[in-house]
Amino acid sequence: MSVAVQEPVQAFRTDRDGLALEEMVDEIEHINILKDQARKELERQMGDTSQFDAEKDKTQFRNYEEANDRVKNFYKEQHTKHTVAYNLKARNDFKCKTRAEMTIWEAMEKLNTLIDESDPDTELSQIEHLLQSAEAIRRDGKPRWMQVTGLVHDLGKLLFFFDAQGQWDVVGDTFPVGCAFDEGIIYGNKSFAENPDFNDPIYSTKYGIYTPGCGLDNIMLSWGHDEYLYHICKDQSTLPKEALAMIRFHSFYPWHSAGAYNWMMGPGDEEQLASVKAFNPFDLYSKSDEKPKVEELKPYYMELINEYFPQKVIKW
């Protein structure tokens, strides 16, 4: 008789630099803000026009092509190492391990101890940044499920302190693997020249392992904190499909901002696209808002957490 063996819960790694990770996140966000400047005011959920970012000064950020070498080197590494083989292994590892068992708020506090006051733009702790995003969504009159989505959307960065190989498989813009890398990906498809899949006879073709209209739920996006959190929330929360789309696809800029990979879209993906576009301004442009009062806001958000994460203790 076979006996299932549960992998032991892993300890957080202490050899990882949380400050360096968050500084890279800031650099990436600056670039994505720059790319977002040319877009017209986003279409809002249910056809509403949001005023949230209408008065934001979007001209203060650095030019996209003037990003420093650290960011360019980050994307070079990311584009070289995200192969089909690596992504299959990362998903298998995710399914086979429980890295920690914590409530959502405990996970926020843990992330706070690992990456604290490292954001040069706002000098906010991680909890304050998460609350800032959630409060911006709340002030704009969005539903409760979207507010809690804003609260948790960055918690996948805990992956950096478990079994991630580096920053490149935690943060950054995401893209599909298993088909040709589109020119709409940041720095273009030539940045993938050293990726083993770049010249693969199947993976280098336009459709690769997919078929047109296969649907975005059936593609394999590059593994990172968004994919990690998406799978956790899909299995352990009652968040609606719109929230899951926001979590999974908000870093998929080649699709929702550059118009790439539309051939993959199937039934329901237009709705997912609308959800992601409704969410992204609150992720990109909320950092200049006032500092939230954590203890005052905690009871309200604990109520939301308990509503949408009924299992209370989450397997990470």
Side-chain angles (χ1 to χ4, degrees):
M1 181 177 65
S2 61
V3 178
V5 178
Q6 169 66 47
E7 291 282 345
V9 175
Q10 299 179 350
F12 282 89
R13 293 181 59 168
T14 59
D15 61 338
R16 288 287 168 88
D17 188 344
L19 296 177
L21 176 71
E22 196 64 7
E23 288 169 0
M24 179 59 69
V25 170
D26 287 330
E27 294 284 351
I28 291 167
E29 287 179 346
H30 281 315
I31 289 175
N32 286 326
I33 288 169
L34 243 281
K35 292 191 296 181
D36 191 60
Q37 288 179 10
R39 293 174 55 86
K40 295 180 180 179
E41 185 173 357
L42 297 175
E43 293 181 357
R44 301 300 175 177
Q45 190 181 33
M46 306 299 291
D48 292 339
T49 300
S50 172
Q51 297 302 311
F52 165 65
D53 65 338
E55 298 180 357
K56 297 285 182 180
D57 179 7
K58 302 169 189 175
T59 64
Q60 60 183 305
F61 300 100
R62 287 164 295 189
N63 185 279
Y64 167 81
E65 293 299 334
E66 293 177 357
N68 63 39
D69 288 341
R70 191 163 63 95
V71 176
K72 294 178 180 178
N73 290 337
F74 163 82
Y75 274 113
K76 177 65 174 177
E77 182 178 21
Q78 186 203 52
H79 293 175
T80 297
K81 294 182 176 180
H82 265 299
T83 62
V84 170
Y86 173 74
N87 276 268
L88 289 172
K89 181 181 184 303
R91 282 162 173 74
N92 183 68
D93 290 345
F94 169 78
K95 293 176 182 178
C96 294
K97 300 175 184 177
T98 296
R99 294 153 186 78
E101 295 184 7
M102 299 179 287
T103 67
I104 293 294
W105 197 269
E106 286 172 342
M108 292 167 59
E109 291 179 332
K110 188 65 177 178
L111 189 62
N112 218 43
T113 67
L114 297 169
I115 312 174
D116 191 24
E117 296 182 355
S118 61
D119 188 332
D121 292 332
T122 63
E123 297 183 350
L124 293 176
S125 68
Q126 287 297 298
I127 287 180
E128 288 168 337
H129 170 53
L130 293 174
L131 284 169
Q132 197 175 54
S133 297
E135 280 293 279
I137 294 170
R138 181 184 179 190
R139 287 195 303 271
D140 209 51
K142 301 302 183 185
R144 289 165 63 85
W145 62 261
M146 190 169 173
Q147 296 170 34
V148 77
T149 301
L151 184 73
V152 305
H153 79 279
D154 265 349
L155 283 184
K157 286 191 290 189
L158 287 169
L159 183 64
F160 184 63
F161 303 98
F162 291 125
D163 50 2
Q165 293 194 8
Q167 294 186 4
W168 63 270
D169 60 341
V170 178
V171 296
D173 293 6
T174 58
F175 47 86
V177 296
C179 62
F181 303 111
D182 194 276
E183 182 63 30
I185 300 172
I186 185 171
Y187 297 122
N189 55 18
K190 296 298 187 293
S191 63
F192 290 87
E194 297 179 23
N195 187 304
D197 294 349
F198 187 73
N199 293 310
D200 183 273
I202 296 176
Y203 303 151
S204 64
T205 62
K206 179 176 181 178
Y207 300 140
I209 61 177
Y210 310 106
T211 56
C214 61
L216 293 180
D217 288 342
N218 298 311
I219 68 173
M220 185 161 55
L221 280 177
S222 52
W223 183 255
H225 78 286
D226 293 342
E227 280 286 283
Y228 170 58
L229 184 64
Y230 161 74
H231 285 286
I232 288 173
C233 292
K234 179 170 66 74
D235 295 336
Q236 301 183 70
S237 80
T238 61
L239 288 171
K241 60 183 181 180
E242 294 87 351
L244 297 177
M246 293 171 180
I247 290 169
R248 187 182 186 208
F249 297 122
H250 73 270
S251 296
F252 188 12
Y253 282 91
W255 172 55
H256 66 70
S257 292
Y261 299 105
N262 285 339
W263 58 266
M264 289 180 161
M265 294 175 67
D269 284 340
E270 287 290 348
E271 290 78 7
Q272 293 204 92
L273 180 59
S275 295
V276 176
K277 287 186 173 183
F279 176 78
N280 262 50
F282 301 103
D283 183 35
L284 289 179
Y285 295 119
S286 65
K287 281 194 172 184
S288 60
D289 294 339
E290 65 181 37
K291 189 173 182 178
K293 297 179 174 60
V294 176
E295 291 307 313
E296 290 183 12
L297 294 172
K298 182 176 179 179
Y300 177 79
Y301 285 101
M302 284 300 301
E303 181 180 338
L304 291 186
I305 290 169
N306 291 335
E307 179 179 350
Y308 291 100
F309 292 87
Q311 296 184 40
K312 303 297 190 295
V313 177
I314 306 299
K315 295 182 183 296
W316 296 90

